[in-house]
Amino acid sequence: MRDWNDLRLVLAIGRNGTLKGAAADLGHTHSTLFRWLNSLEERTGARLFERKGGHYTPTAAGERVVAAAERVELETVTLDREISGIDARLSGSLRATSSETIAYRILNSVLAEFHRAHPGIEIELIVDNRQLDLARREADVAIRATRPTDGNLFGGKIANVAWTLYGSRDYVLAHGPVLSLKNCEHHKFVGWDLAATAGASKWLNEAVRQDSIIYRSSSLINQLMAAKAGIGLALLPCYLGDLEPDIERVVSPIKELSRELWLVTHQDSRQTARIKAFFDIVGAGLRARRPLLEGRQAGE
């Protein structure tokens, strides 16, 4: 098996378990991958996957190919990072990733500052609440709500991020203030979908009765809009809620929900001119908004 594209095919199917997922990763159609896999198995004389109900499980031969493909991918990505790390050009593309709410509320104005300083750098922003793999070059830089623990990552802390409960003014007038989080049985809440594992979701589920959560959404932007519509109280980061004219804090920032915000890249990429410029300008732009991020700028 000498073609890297064959290895990419087997790796994508092995990771996703379905042709549909692999097709999305590789940018091909389901039918193309089906023909490609059948041709590969015919040429090698080995069955690489067991098919059952649309799910593809690697055979022993398939597992061997997946392992080899992962090693080749790692070497390829490492080489790419090392070469990019000595790139002194302030041009080309840079892939950044952030959460939905940071992108919505803060990041565009900061990226506008970056573009004015370096118009030759093309920014691709991946809005995703998952932590993309910087080692595999899923992104070049990441804005994350967690301190990096991987020794191969390099980053700088931007701020602490404050969270609290918000409600529309009409809702608060109709239902009264929240005098205590332990005594808010008469209030209704907007929460996450039941599969959510975020710390804020866990806190809300433990802090209020489940039957008081009358609306759920996987999107914090949607939760914000639900609070504005008066459906109930929503637990939001202060940078998202404080600048909304139609809602207000119903309690002070909740200390146990404070999170750190970091700007992160891979060690091999930190000396790339584009990434150094991004750290300088975007990092400074985010730090300039620290009062908003830390909940000290309500109403500004």
Short mmCIF file of all heavy atoms in Angstrom, two decimals, residues 24-54:
data_model
loop_
_atom_site.label_atom_id
_atom_site.label_comp_id
_atom_site.label_asym_id
_atom_site.label_seq_id
_atom_site.Cartn_x
_atom_site.Cartn_y
_atom_site.Cartn_z
N ALA A 24 -17.27 13.17 5.03
CA ALA A 24 -17.23 14.56 5.50
C ALA A 24 -15.81 15.00 5.79
O ALA A 24 -15.40 16.13 5.48
CB ALA A 24 -18.11 14.72 6.74
N ASP A 25 -15.00 14.12 6.38
CA ASP A 25 -13.61 14.45 6.70
C ASP A 25 -12.77 14.65 5.44
O ASP A 25 -11.91 15.54 5.38
CB ASP A 25 -12.98 13.34 7.55
CG ASP A 25 -13.41 13.42 9.01
OD1 ASP A 25 -14.13 14.36 9.36
OD2 ASP A 25 -13.03 12.51 9.78
N LEU A 26 -13.00 13.80 4.45
CA LEU A 26 -12.15 13.79 3.26
C LEU A 26 -12.66 14.67 2.13
O LEU A 26 -11.95 14.89 1.15
CB LEU A 26 -11.99 12.35 2.75
CG LEU A 26 -11.30 11.37 3.72
CD1 LEU A 26 -11.27 9.97 3.12
CD2 LEU A 26 -9.89 11.84 4.05
N GLY A 27 -13.89 15.15 2.25
CA GLY A 27 -14.43 16.01 1.21
C GLY A 27 -14.86 15.27 -0.04
O GLY A 27 -14.84 15.84 -1.14
N HIS A 28 -15.25 14.00 0.13
CA HIS A 28 -15.74 13.20 -0.99
C HIS A 28 -17.16 12.74 -0.68
O HIS A 28 -17.65 12.89 0.44
CB HIS A 28 -14.85 11.98 -1.23
CG HIS A 28 -13.48 12.31 -1.72
ND1 HIS A 28 -13.21 12.69 -3.01
CD2 HIS A 28 -12.28 12.30 -1.08
CE1 HIS A 28 -11.93 12.92 -3.16
NE2 HIS A 28 -11.33 12.69 -2.00
N THR A 29 -17.82 12.15 -1.67
CA THR A 29 -19.16 11.63 -1.47
C THR A 29 -19.09 10.22 -0.87
O THR A 29 -18.08 9.52 -0.98
CB THR A 29 -19.94 11.58 -2.78
OG1 THR A 29 -19.32 10.64 -3.67
CG2 THR A 29 -20.00 12.95 -3.43
N HIS A 30 -20.19 9.84 -0.25
CA HIS A 30 -20.32 8.50 0.32
C HIS A 30 -20.07 7.44 -0.74
O HIS A 30 -19.35 6.45 -0.51
CB HIS A 30 -21.73 8.38 0.91
CG HIS A 30 -22.07 7.02 1.45
ND1 HIS A 30 -22.40 5.96 0.63
CD2 HIS A 30 -22.14 6.56 2.71
CE1 HIS A 30 -22.67 4.90 1.37
NE2 HIS A 30 -22.51 5.24 2.64
N SER A 31 -20.65 7.62 -1.94
CA SER A 31 -20.52 6.60 -3.00
C SER A 31 -19.08 6.51 -3.50
O SER A 31 -18.61 5.41 -3.83
CB SER A 31 -21.47 6.94 -4.15
OG SER A 31 -21.20 8.23 -4.67
N THR A 32 -18.38 7.64 -3.56
CA THR A 32 -16.99 7.62 -4.00
C THR A 32 -16.14 6.79 -3.04
O THR A 32 -15.31 5.97 -3.46
CB THR A 32 -16.42 9.04 -4.09
OG1 THR A 32 -17.14 9.76 -5.10
CG2 THR A 32 -14.95 9.03 -4.45
N LEU A 33 -16.32 7.01 -1.73
CA LEU A 33 -15.55 6.26 -0.74
C LEU A 33 -15.91 4.78 -0.77
O LEU A 33 -15.03 3.92 -0.55
CB LEU A 33 -15.79 6.84 0.66
CG LEU A 33 -14.71 7.84 1.12
CD1 LEU A 33 -14.62 9.02 0.18
CD2 LEU A 33 -15.00 8.32 2.55
N PHE A 34 -17.18 4.48 -1.04
CA PHE A 34 -17.59 3.07 -1.13
C PHE A 34 -16.84 2.37 -2.25
O PHE A 34 -16.30 1.27 -2.07
CB PHE A 34 -19.11 2.99 -1.36
CG PHE A 34 -19.64 1.60 -1.44
CD1 PHE A 34 -19.81 0.82 -0.30
CD2 PHE A 34 -19.96 1.05 -2.68
CE1 PHE A 34 -20.30 -0.49 -0.39
CE2 PHE A 34 -20.45 -0.24 -2.78
CZ PHE A 34 -20.62 -1.01 -1.63
N ARG A 35 -16.76 3.01 -3.43
CA ARG A 35 -16.04 2.43 -4.57
C ARG A 35 -14.55 2.36 -4.29
O ARG A 35 -13.88 1.39 -4.62
CB ARG A 35 -16.32 3.24 -5.83
CG ARG A 35 -17.76 3.16 -6.33
CD ARG A 35 -17.87 3.73 -7.74
NE ARG A 35 -17.47 5.14 -7.80
CZ ARG A 35 -18.31 6.14 -7.61
NH1 ARG A 35 -19.59 5.90 -7.34
NH2 ARG A 35 -17.88 7.39 -7.69
N TRP A 36 -14.02 3.39 -3.67
CA TRP A 36 -12.60 3.48 -3.36
C TRP A 36 -12.19 2.35 -2.42
O TRP A 36 -11.18 1.66 -2.64
CB TRP A 36 -12.32 4.84 -2.74
CG TRP A 36 -10.88 5.20 -2.53
CD1 TRP A 36 -9.78 4.46 -2.84
CD2 TRP A 36 -10.40 6.41 -1.97
NE1 TRP A 36 -8.64 5.12 -2.49
CE2 TRP A 36 -8.99 6.34 -1.95
CE3 TRP A 36 -11.01 7.57 -1.47
CZ2 TRP A 36 -8.20 7.36 -1.45
CZ3 TRP A 36 -10.22 8.58 -0.98
CH2 TRP A 36 -8.83 8.48 -0.97
N LEU A 37 -12.99 2.12 -1.38
CA LEU A 37 -12.68 1.06 -0.42
C LEU A 37 -12.77 -0.32 -1.07
O LEU A 37 -11.90 -1.18 -0.87
CB LEU A 37 -13.60 1.14 0.78
CG LEU A 37 -13.42 0.04 1.83
CD1 LEU A 37 -12.01 0.07 2.43
CD2 LEU A 37 -14.48 0.17 2.94
N ASN A 38 -13.80 -0.54 -1.86
CA ASN A 38 -13.94 -1.84 -2.53
C ASN A 38 -12.76 -2.10 -3.45
O ASN A 38 -12.25 -3.23 -3.52
CB ASN A 38 -15.25 -1.89 -3.32
CG ASN A 38 -16.46 -2.03 -2.42
OD1 ASN A 38 -16.33 -2.44 -1.26
ND2 ASN A 38 -17.63 -1.69 -2.92
N SER A 39 -12.33 -1.07 -4.18
CA SER A 39 -11.19 -1.22 -5.07
C SER A 39 -9.92 -1.51 -4.29
O SER A 39 -9.11 -2.37 -4.70
CB SER A 39 -11.01 0.06 -5.90
OG SER A 39 -9.84 0.01 -6.68
N LEU A 40 -9.74 -0.83 -3.15
CA LEU A 40 -8.55 -1.05 -2.34
C LEU A 40 -8.52 -2.48 -1.79
O LEU A 40 -7.47 -3.14 -1.83
CB LEU A 40 -8.53 -0.04 -1.18
CG LEU A 40 -7.41 -0.20 -0.16
CD1 LEU A 40 -6.04 -0.07 -0.83
CD2 LEU A 40 -7.56 0.84 0.95
N GLU A 41 -9.65 -2.96 -1.30
CA GLU A 41 -9.69 -4.31 -0.76
C GLU A 41 -9.45 -5.35 -1.86
O GLU A 41 -8.81 -6.38 -1.62
CB GLU A 41 -11.04 -4.56 -0.07
CG GLU A 41 -11.18 -3.78 1.24
CD GLU A 41 -12.48 -4.09 1.95
OE1 GLU A 41 -13.49 -4.35 1.25
OE2 GLU A 41 -12.51 -4.04 3.19
N GLU A 42 -9.94 -5.07 -3.06
CA GLU A 42 -9.71 -6.00 -4.18
C GLU A 42 -8.23 -6.02 -4.56
O GLU A 42 -7.66 -7.09 -4.82
CB GLU A 42 -10.57 -5.57 -5.37
CG GLU A 42 -10.47 -6.52 -6.55
CD GLU A 42 -11.39 -6.12 -7.71
OE1 GLU A 42 -12.33 -5.32 -7.46
OE2 GLU A 42 -11.15 -6.59 -8.83
N ARG A 43 -7.59 -4.85 -4.58
CA ARG A 43 -6.18 -4.77 -4.97
C ARG A 43 -5.27 -5.43 -3.93
O ARG A 43 -4.27 -6.06 -4.28
CB ARG A 43 -5.77 -3.31 -5.17
CG ARG A 43 -6.22 -2.73 -6.48
CD ARG A 43 -5.62 -1.35 -6.73
NE ARG A 43 -6.28 -0.30 -5.95
CZ ARG A 43 -5.74 0.36 -4.96
NH1 ARG A 43 -4.47 0.08 -4.59
NH2 ARG A 43 -6.39 1.30 -4.32
N THR A 44 -5.60 -5.26 -2.66
CA THR A 44 -4.75 -5.82 -1.60
C THR A 44 -5.09 -7.27 -1.29
O THR A 44 -4.29 -7.97 -0.65
CB THR A 44 -4.87 -4.99 -0.32
OG1 THR A 44 -6.24 -4.99 0.12
CG2 THR A 44 -4.40 -3.56 -0.55
N GLY A 45 -6.27 -7.70 -1.69
CA GLY A 45 -6.70 -9.05 -1.37
C GLY A 45 -7.01 -9.23 0.10
O GLY A 45 -7.02 -10.36 0.61
N ALA A 46 -7.30 -8.15 0.80
CA ALA A 46 -7.58 -8.22 2.25
C ALA A 46 -8.87 -7.46 2.54
O ALA A 46 -9.10 -6.37 2.00
CB ALA A 46 -6.43 -7.63 3.05
N ARG A 47 -9.69 -8.04 3.39
CA ARG A 47 -10.89 -7.34 3.86
C ARG A 47 -10.49 -6.45 5.05
O ARG A 47 -9.99 -6.96 6.06
CB ARG A 47 -11.97 -8.34 4.28
CG ARG A 47 -13.31 -7.70 4.58
CD ARG A 47 -14.39 -8.76 4.73
NE ARG A 47 -15.70 -8.20 4.97
CZ ARG A 47 -16.51 -7.72 4.04
NH1 ARG A 47 -16.11 -7.74 2.77
NH2 ARG A 47 -17.69 -7.22 4.34
N LEU A 48 -10.70 -5.17 4.91
CA LEU A 48 -10.21 -4.21 5.91
C LEU A 48 -11.26 -3.83 6.95
O LEU A 48 -10.91 -3.41 8.06
CB LEU A 48 -9.70 -2.95 5.22
CG LEU A 48 -8.56 -3.18 4.21
CD1 LEU A 48 -8.21 -1.88 3.50
CD2 LEU A 48 -7.33 -3.77 4.92
N PHE A 49 -12.56 -3.98 6.58
CA PHE A 49 -13.62 -3.61 7.51
C PHE A 49 -14.75 -4.61 7.44
O PHE A 49 -15.08 -5.13 6.37
CB PHE A 49 -14.19 -2.21 7.18
CG PHE A 49 -13.22 -1.09 7.41
CD1 PHE A 49 -12.44 -0.62 6.37
CD2 PHE A 49 -13.09 -0.51 8.66
CE1 PHE A 49 -11.55 0.41 6.57
CE2 PHE A 49 -12.20 0.52 8.88
CZ PHE A 49 -11.42 0.98 7.83
N GLU A 50 -15.34 -4.87 8.61
CA GLU A 50 -16.59 -5.62 8.68
C GLU A 50 -17.74 -4.62 8.65
O GLU A 50 -17.72 -3.62 9.35
CB GLU A 50 -16.67 -6.44 9.97
CG GLU A 50 -15.59 -7.50 10.11
CD GLU A 50 -15.74 -8.64 9.11
OE1 GLU A 50 -16.83 -8.72 8.47
OE2 GLU A 50 -14.80 -9.42 8.96
N ARG A 51 -18.73 -4.87 7.77
CA ARG A 51 -19.87 -3.96 7.64
C ARG A 51 -21.07 -4.55 8.35
O ARG A 51 -21.43 -5.70 8.14
CB ARG A 51 -20.24 -3.76 6.17
CG ARG A 51 -19.27 -2.91 5.35
CD ARG A 51 -18.11 -3.68 4.85
NE ARG A 51 -17.53 -3.05 3.64
CZ ARG A 51 -16.38 -3.39 3.14
NH1 ARG A 51 -15.65 -4.37 3.70
NH2 ARG A 51 -15.92 -2.78 2.07
N LYS A 52 -21.72 -3.70 9.16
CA LYS A 52 -22.94 -4.13 9.82
C LYS A 52 -23.79 -2.91 10.12
O LYS A 52 -23.40 -2.04 10.91
CB LYS A 52 -22.64 -4.88 11.12
CG LYS A 52 -23.89 -5.46 11.78
CD LYS A 52 -23.53 -6.28 13.01
CE LYS A 52 -24.78 -6.88 13.65
NZ LYS A 52 -24.46 -7.67 14.86
N GLY A 53 -24.96 -2.86 9.47
CA GLY A 53 -25.88 -1.76 9.71
C GLY A 53 -25.30 -0.39 9.42
O GLY A 53 -25.61 0.58 10.12
N GLY A 54 -24.46 -0.30 8.43
CA GLY A 54 -23.86 0.98 8.09
C GLY A 54 -22.64 1.33 8.91
O GLY A 54 -22.00 2.36 8.66
#
